[in-house]
Amino acid sequence: MSQSAPAGWYPQPDGTQRWWNGSAWGELAAQGHAAVVHGEVVRAPATPPPQQVPTSYPLPPGQPAPLVAGTYGYAPATRVAPKSAGIAVIASFFLPGLGQFINGQAGKGVAFLLSYFVGFLLLFVFIGILVIPVVWIWSMVDAYSSAQAWNARHGIRS
């Protein structure tokens, strides 16, 4: 299956334009210059009209499609908000596992919350006296370190 696009000038990432005659690429040409395609001289327009800019560019034969979406094969830039380690610790102080939910780690949050409630059930056999503080402190430390690690992975200094 071959892609076909109308003949015309197409912008390139380096700021030049390239002529596509419908089946083959011409030589690179700067604005205002001409390109020779199969003996045919084609002049580049001063500025390409908006309707000539395609949504997809034809690929040379045998070249695979790019794996990344976006203009010229680059993915669009996205912004991420930093995770607040302080809020995660405070949330885990009041309810173990809540800081993990705030950090986007639902599985860890459920595990800490269930461990905390199991600790309450084990109070009747006095094992809960050890389990509850360990889970409570571990939940706060993990919420803080997970938020810091997420920020570091995304290049955010916190």
Side-chain angles (χ1 to χ4, degrees):
M1 179 161 127
S2 65
Q3 295 180 337
S4 63
W9 289 97
Y10 292 92
Q12 300 299 305
D14 61 357
T16 61
Q17 293 184 0
R18 198 167 183 188
W19 176 257
W20 173 257
N21 70 359
S23 62
W25 285 107
E27 297 176 18
L28 285 176
Q31 292 183 351
H33 291 82
V36 178
V37 181
H38 301 293
E40 166 188 348
V41 177
V42 184
R43 297 220 172 261
T47 57
Q51 66 270 17
Q52 277 190 325
V53 178
T55 56
S56 64
Y57 295 95
L59 297 172
Q63 181 178 352
L67 298 176
V68 183
T71 308
Y72 305 117
Y74 295 105
T78 57
R79 272 185 96 170
V80 293
K83 303 282 185 192
S84 174
I87 291 176
V89 169
I90 292 170
S92 284
F93 175 83
F94 289 108
L95 184 64
L98 187 57
Q100 283 74 15
F101 281 109
I102 290 173
N103 286 339
Q105 300 172 315
K108 274 187 177 180
V110 168
F112 278 113
L113 195 58
L114 287 178
S115 299
Y116 192 67
F117 287 133
V118 167
F120 268 110
L121 293 175
L122 293 175
L123 277 175
F124 295 110
V125 290
F126 300 107
I127 297 174
I129 294 172
L130 297 174
V131 172
I132 290 175
V134 168
V135 170
W136 183 57
I137 292 170
W138 185 13
S139 171
M140 289 186 288
V141 169
D142 182 73
Y144 179 82
S145 61
S146 295
Q148 292 285 28
W150 189 93
N151 289 340
R153 276 194 313 271
H154 290 85
I156 300 169
R157 296 184 76 186
S158 59

